[in-house]
Amino acid sequence: MRVAIVGTGAIARGSHLPALTALGAGQPLEIVAAVDIDAAAVAAFCTDAGIAHPYTDLGLMLTEQRPDLVTLATPPRFHRDQTVAALRAGAWVWCEKPPCPSLEDFDAIEAAEGPDGAGPYAAIVFQHRFGSGSRHVKDLLGKQAMGRPLVAHCQTTWFRDEAYYSVPWRGTWSSEGGGPSMGHGIHQMDLMLDLLGPWAEIRAMAGRLVHDVETEDVSTALIRFEGGAMATVVNSVLSPDEVSRIRIDCERATVELVHLYGHRNADWRITPAPGVTSEEADAWRDFGPDVPSSHEAQLKGLLADLRAGRRPRSSGADGRKSLELVAALYKAAFTGSTVRAGEIGPGDPFYGALHGNAPGWAPEHRERSAEVPA
Ligand SMILES: NC(=O)c1ccc[n+]([C@@H]2O[C@H](COP(=O)([O-])OP(=O)(O)OC[C@H]3O[C@@H](n4cnc5c(N)ncnc54)[C@H](O)[C@@H]3O)[C@@H](O)[C@H]2O)c1
């Protein structure tokens, strides 16, 4: 399997390369090339990792190297075009979150995929869905072992300072795609959707309280799920005591995950309701061998799917659902309306851009928004 890494910054070095290296051991997998518009960065990356072919031109790399898999770790504004280019060259793609700046972009990616049952496919990096903890809890919830899920909390309360936002691609709709709802909270919201299934409606608020950015720096939302469960969501980059947290109250137990950037079995807690036997609660708490959530955990499944020609998790509709929720959160927040699943399609201002051209939030309204508190 010939793999190419596109974008050789922090996440490529910190997660893509280690995951590919770990999973490539003993398997016919070779990282044949890396691409970055920064020639010095890609040269250093290739030297450090022992990769033979550095490129500054994605198209040239695709033509010359014909990779089977491209892992994409560039800023979000490039995800659509680079994913489409790789798919058209016959490569599967594993694209970093957030998927791309709009649902319209995502649909263009899906349209470039190969036929079902063959591929190539593009999967989004949502590593928190993977690992033994989320797999076990998804299984318990799927079987309704703890009864129906009723109430949930989904919290991404992180802290990002001015230095973080001094990187040119951050803080703008066109480049980063959104604020913490899109760039940070999408991980927890994706996990919540993976655990609780389809959502039905959302109401939301967004604010720009600290940072001088185009996007929000905090958002809150209320979500009702198709199954009836109701959730609160908080996405913030203003929270000094940082935490990522999901809590789901079911009829017969509360499940809670508390972590920051990744979880292991010990980060999950299951509290039974009165009347549940200790044998049953102990069975729920048996998560099996510890597999931390990680890029490696997701990539392992993706490589197996690639070899088998199967659609991977987190691609197609399964990859789109979190972006749709984020688009709906923005629409609900910026219009003050309740947004229903499936309603944002072509013709809706929030289909082509997550700011939906809303006064005070769209880039062209930025000056006014600086005077009027959001
Ligand atoms: N899954 C996670 O937990 C996680 C964590 C951090 C970042 N990310 C995501 O990974 C992506 C990259 O983030 P990062 O922190 O590594 O950013 P970064 O700025 O450290 O690296 C981005 C790299 O892409 C290169 N680049 C920019 N434009 C390019 C282009 N057109 N073609 C090729 N290369 C280009 C830059 O030169 C840079 O080397 C973002 O989408 C980010 O949200 C995901």
Side-chain angles (χ1 to χ4, degrees):
M1 190 180 301
R2 298 168 63 75
V3 184
I5 299 176
V6 178
T8 59
I11 201 69
R13 267 189 191 268
S15 297
H16 288 226
L17 185 58
L20 285 164
T21 306
L23 293 167
Q27 290 194 49
L29 183 155
E30 189 189 353
I31 307 173
V32 293
V35 183
D36 202 293
I37 42 161
D38 182 334
V42 71
F45 186 82
C46 287
T47 303
D48 295 348
I51 299 169
H53 301 290
Y55 285 87
T56 53
D57 183 324
L58 172 64
L60 187 63
M61 185 281 288
L62 291 168
T63 306
E64 290 187 354
Q65 299 297 330
R66 311 302 304 175
D68 302 298
L69 172 66
V70 166
T71 81
L72 203 56
T74 51
R77 69 183 288 195
F78 302 110
H79 291 177
R80 169 187 171 156
D81 289 350
Q82 292 179 332
T83 300
V84 168
L87 288 168
R88 289 204 176 127
W92 287 40
V93 180
W94 191 40
C95 172
E96 267 302 340
K97 53 54 65 176
C100 45
S102 72
L103 287 169
E104 184 177 10
D105 292 331
F106 194 95
D107 291 346
I109 290 173
E110 250 191 287
E113 288 186 328
D116 255 342
Y121 300 114
I124 309 303
V125 177
F126 281 129
Q127 75 269 25
H128 296 304
R129 279 193 208 182
F130 296 82
S132 47
S134 37
R135 187 182 56 223
H136 176 64
V137 170
K138 185 177 165 75
D139 182 50
L140 289 177
L141 290 167
K143 292 189 295 203
Q144 295 213 344
M146 301 172 293
R148 281 185 306 136
L150 304 172
V151 185
H153 302 279
C154 178
Q155 181 183 349
T156 304
T157 37
W158 293 1
F159 189 83
R160 294 294 181 267
D161 59 12
E162 279 182 25
Y164 177 86
Y165 281 105
S166 67
V167 174
W169 62 266
R170 296 212 173 101
T172 66
W173 294 106
S174 64
S175 187
E176 193 171 13
S181 319
M182 175 72 160
H184 311 84
I186 197 169
H187 275 305
Q188 275 347 270
M189 291 191 283
D190 179 74
L191 177 55
M192 175 179 68
L193 292 184
D194 202 48
L195 294 176
L196 288 179
W199 61 280
E201 61 176 322
I202 183 168
R203 298 164 201 203
M205 287 185 187
R208 192 189 290 126
L209 303 186
V210 169
H211 293 295
D212 182 22
V213 290
E214 281 179 8
T215 63
E216 87 288 7
D217 52 21
V218 60
S219 70
T220 60
L222 301 175
I223 299 174
R224 192 191 305 276
F225 283 80
E226 269 184 18
M230 293 189 285
T232 64
V233 175
V234 182
N235 304 300
S236 156
V237 284
L238 312 175
S239 308
D241 183 6
E242 297 187 293
V243 72
S244 309
R245 175 170 168 263
I246 287 191
R247 174 184 153 128
I248 302 171
D249 298 324
C250 300
E251 288 170 298
R252 303 178 63 228
T254 293
V255 184
E256 187 172 32
L257 167 66
V258 181
H259 68 120
L260 189 53
Y261 299 138
H263 51 81
R264 15 185 7 119
N265 288 352
D267 298 318
W268 295 80
R269 196 162 60 115
I270 298 186
T271 307
V276 172
T277 65
S278 54
E279 288 78 15
E280 200 173 10
D282 286 348
W284 295 340
R285 290 176 180 136
D286 180 3
F287 284 72
D290 198 5
V291 180
S293 69
S294 66
H295 280 69
E296 186 180 330
Q298 180 175 3
L299 185 61
K300 189 175 179 187
L302 183 117
L303 292 177
D305 291 333
L306 203 167
R307 290 198 176 90
R310 282 188 302 253
R311 177 176 278 289
R313 286 180 68 194
S314 195
S315 70
D318 190 40
R320 189 184 193 272
K321 62 189 184 190
S322 301
L323 183 61
E324 188 199 356
L325 182 68
V326 171
L329 185 156
Y330 284 126
K331 181 175 178 181
F334 298 165
T335 62
S337 61
T338 299
V339 177
R340 291 186 168 71
E343 79 170 50
I344 303 177
D348 188 305
F350 289 86
Y351 180 71
L354 293 182
H355 55 70
N357 211 23
W361 290 101
E364 56 270 34
H365 301 289
R366 178 88 174 91
E367 283 306 305
R368 271 190 285 151
S369 76
E371 292 156 20
V372 182

